[in-house]
Amino acid sequence: MTVIKQEDFIQSICDAFQFISYYHPKDYIDALYKAWQKEENPAAKDAMTQILVNSRMCAENNRPICQDTGIATVFLKVGMNVQWDADMSVEEMVNEGVRRAYTWEGNTLRASVLADPAGKRQNTKDNTPAVIHMSIVPGDKVEVTCAAKGGGSENKSKLAMLNPSDNIVDWVLKTIPTMGAGWCPPGILGIGIGGTPEKAVLMAKESLMSHIDIQELQEKAASGAELSTTEALRLELFEKVNALGIGAQGLGGLTTVLDVKILDYPTHAASKPIAMIPNCAATRHVEFELDGSGPVELTPPRVEDWPDLTYSPDNGKRIDVDKLTKEEVASWKTGDVLLLNGKILTGRDAAHKRLTDMLDKGEKLPVDFTNRLIYYVGPVDPVGDEIVGPAGPTTATRMDKFTRQMLEQTGLLGMIGKSERGAAACRAIADNKAVYLMAVGGAAYLVAKAIKSSKVLAFPELGMEAIYEFEVKDMPVTVAVDSKGESIHATAPRKWQAKIGIIPVES
């Protein structure tokens, strides 16, 4: 009988979440590099370059791949012959491991979990509790999978109760474009089919834990070997989702997904549940076993596992944001690469809510936004001599409802975030001759290196959601919505969908 000691289990959970915060799975790096090699859209290729370079930097420096270090998800398969030498429950041990991982001062991870989600939404400060899925299986080992899922990709999860006669491919192709780019493609799609609604969602999440093997499946199909229903469906969806032309970061291109994973389960005769969950560019998971011999020893990847790429922003146009005018902003076109220099402000959900509440009450704002840019970001705390920890963009569409009021009542000139803006936000940008700039999601450590100073200007009690002032040097961004309201996320995917030519573009 195997005996698992409490401290061994806790430390293994801690080590796993630290490990995945800065190491991409090798299969993801390999698949992304292959996509980079064949990509024809310069904007998408530039985004993938940033992601790959950022990944290697994080591995070399043991710092988070993304500023959103995720909600902790743990899958456990506990052998029936395992005995625990512990005075804590399994759930308590997992949460203690997560707590240690996220608060370790050597590589502090961002605590994003809020208690009382329908009410006060107070940060638990240590990213607990984790979401735990546990099953009892034959054997004398404990199989553990640890994953960290960011809010940008989790928020794009979809569930539908299809009719038995409905076509799954049609539903996926109709649904993917509604997800926008907030899930930071290129990533992986996890799909669960059958069971009940909650079973379908759980299968979709669990499917994302498996390794990328679509190329092997393509080779199997090419050899003439018989494919199962789910294998054939994976191949069809892989081809057709990429044919939508969404591309890296939604900028248009040949690769939107690196793999499509599917798990299924028997279901009721009247039902066809389907769930779809994307994994983002910060794909983070690791699997290991405990056999009673001590805590896990995870093997780091080699530096040689990453492609020999460098990122140089020299092709961009340098902008002095301290002297920015509406006239200069009006000269920018969608797709232009800019290098920001000077002082920018930060603020995201909580800060925008505070600011608009103050505007509604006629109160003076704590910060002057006239002709300034605001960066939607919640950075990781710095360690050592860092100015700021990883500081990539958050999903901009969450700020859409604040956009018109902020532009019209504060003198704000532009915004920086990730993914697309909605139609209402684009109209507000056009009406105010403003601009929306896109930074690459999944390149948080690379972006942080452009930040040369940081100070809190307002709402310090909001922690990472406070309003900071960053002084930046050559911070790379792309014009995503110009002063006329034209959005690259609306035009580029249609262009690439037409160029790929597999799926007709609707007029």
Side-chain angles (χ1 to χ4, degrees):
M1 179 175 289
T2 298
V3 177
I4 306 293
K5 295 180 180 180
Q6 176 173 296
E7 181 59 24
D8 291 346
F9 185 65
I10 291 172
Q11 193 59 45
S12 296
I13 295 292
C14 172
D15 292 347
F17 277 103
Q18 276 287 317
F19 186 91
I20 64 176
S21 75
Y22 42 75
Y23 291 136
H24 265 126
K26 184 179 183 301
D27 61 307
Y28 178 85
I29 294 299
D30 291 343
L32 184 59
Y33 183 49
K34 288 176 183 175
W36 177 90
Q37 289 175 307
K38 73 175 186 179
E39 184 55 64
E40 298 175 7
N41 179 7
K45 192 155 190 166
D46 178 83
M48 286 191 277
T49 303
Q50 290 191 47
I51 293 168
L52 287 165
V53 171
N54 178 80
S55 178
R56 189 178 68 240
M57 290 173 61
C58 293
E60 292 172 341
N61 295 279
N62 287 7
R63 289 297 274 146
I65 295 166
C66 180
Q67 79 289 339
D68 184 348
T69 50
I71 186 169
T73 304
V74 179
F75 289 87
L76 298 173
K77 293 182 179 179
V78 181
M80 296 173 71
N81 296 325
V82 167
Q83 183 175 350
W84 296 92
D85 179 9
D87 54 21
M88 299 169 70
S89 71
V90 173
E91 290 86 350
E92 288 171 337
M93 288 187 284
V94 169
N95 285 325
E96 177 57 28
V98 170
R99 183 176 295 109
R100 288 187 192 180
Y102 277 77
T103 58
W104 183 54
E105 62 183 16
N107 179 40
T108 306
L109 307 180
R110 198 183 82 183
S112 301
V113 171
L114 307 179
D116 191 16
K120 295 180 180 179
R121 297 181 65 82
Q122 293 180 325
N123 199 302
T124 64
K125 306 296 185 182
D126 56 15
N127 224 51
T128 64
V131 177
I132 304 167
H133 305 287
M134 183 163 48
S135 57
I136 306 299
V137 300
D140 56 2
K141 297 179 181 179
V142 177
E143 298 177 27
V144 184
T145 300
C146 293
K149 285 291 266 97
S153 61
E154 288 291 83
N155 289 348
K156 301 302 182 180
S157 302
K158 302 294 180 182
L159 170 68
M161 299 301 292
L162 302 183
N163 292 320
S165 61
D166 289 343
N167 186 282
I168 290 171
V169 174
D170 289 346
W171 178 81
V172 171
L173 296 181
K174 179 180 70 175
T175 304
I176 289 288
T178 71
M179 292 161 53
W183 57 282
C184 290
I188 303 156
L189 281 185
I191 295 175
I193 304 169
T196 53
E198 77 279 9
K199 179 67 174 177
V201 173
L202 181 57
M203 289 190 296
K205 177 65 67 67
E206 190 171 10
S207 74
L208 292 171
M209 304 301 113
S210 58
H211 296 286
I212 295 172
D213 64 352
I214 197 71
Q215 186 173 6
E216 289 87 341
L217 190 54
Q218 289 171 327
E219 292 171 356
K220 179 180 178 180
S223 72
E226 184 177 357
L227 301 179
S228 68
T229 301
T230 56
E231 288 176 332
L233 187 56
R234 283 179 61 196
L235 289 175
E236 182 179 2
L237 286 172
F238 179 75
E239 178 186 36
K240 290 183 176 178
V241 169
N242 282 325
L244 291 171
I246 294 167
Q249 304 290 303
L251 295 171
L254 300 179
T255 300
T256 302
V257 292
L258 301 173
D259 202 343
V260 177
K261 298 295 188 180
I262 299 176
L263 290 176
D264 65 2
Y265 196 83
T267 191
H268 192 283
S271 303
K272 190 190 277 186
I274 180 168
M276 181 165 61
I277 302 177
N279 235 1
C280 64
T283 291
R284 294 165 293 198
H285 62 87
V286 69
E287 303 77 33
F288 59 90
E289 287 185 348
L290 295 178
D291 59 7
S293 61
V296 67
E297 294 185 8
L298 298 169
T299 303
R302 305 169 305 152
V303 174
E304 293 78 13
D305 290 335
W306 277 266
D308 186 19
L309 297 177
T310 57
Y311 183 74
S312 173
D314 290 341
N315 293 330
K317 178 183 179 182
R318 285 185 168 83
I319 303 297
D320 184 350
V321 297
D322 295 330
K323 299 178 181 179
L324 205 54
T325 64
K326 281 187 177 290
E327 290 72 25
E328 183 173 11
V329 166
S331 70
W332 300 343
K333 304 299 181 185
T334 57
D336 287 352
V337 176
L338 309 178
L339 304 175
L340 305 183
N341 290 269
K343 294 178 179 179
I344 62 175
L345 302 172
T346 78
R348 42 178 284 167
D349 309 65
H352 277 75
K353 181 65 167 62
R354 290 270 189 99
L355 292 168
T356 53
D357 285 348
M358 293 178 73
L359 289 171
D360 291 343
K361 295 175 184 177
E363 297 174 358
K364 184 179 179 180
L365 300 184
V367 178
D368 184 1
F369 290 91
T370 305
N371 289 341
R372 304 292 297 272
L373 299 178
I374 191 167
Y375 182 26
Y376 301 149
V377 62
V380 176
D381 290 340
V383 299
D385 59 357
E386 289 180 344
I387 300 298
V388 66
T394 197
T395 306
T397 47
R398 297 203 312 275
M399 267 54 72
D400 280 5
K401 65 181 180 180
F402 306 113
T403 297
R404 182 171 291 277
Q405 187 173 14
M406 287 292 294
L407 291 176
E408 293 182 351
Q409 296 184 27
T410 71
L412 185 69
L413 191 51
M415 302 145 286
I416 309 163
K418 75 171 185 181
S419 76
E420 73 285 348
R421 305 308 298 265
C426 289
R427 286 194 296 271
I429 290 169
D431 291 345
N432 290 276
K433 306 301 180 187
V435 70
Y436 168 60
L437 310 173
M438 190 208 78
V440 172
Y445 194 55
L446 180 66
V447 171
K449 292 305 179 183
I451 301 170
K452 303 306 177 183
S453 70
S454 169
K455 64 179 179 180
V456 176
L457 296 187
F459 312 143
E461 67 278 7
L462 294 180
M464 60 95 174
E465 292 207 62
I467 295 179
Y468 292 78
E469 183 178 71
F470 289 165
E471 184 172 1
V472 298
K473 181 178 180 180
D474 287 350
M475 176 180 170
V477 295
T478 299
V479 178
V481 181
D482 66 17
S483 62
K484 297 178 181 178
E486 179 177 319
S487 169
I488 194 172
H489 290 97
T491 58
R494 291 175 63 85
K495 170 187 171 183
W496 282 90
Q497 182 176 335
K499 185 172 183 177
I500 294 168
I502 293 174
I503 300 174
V505 179
E506 296 181 2
S507 58

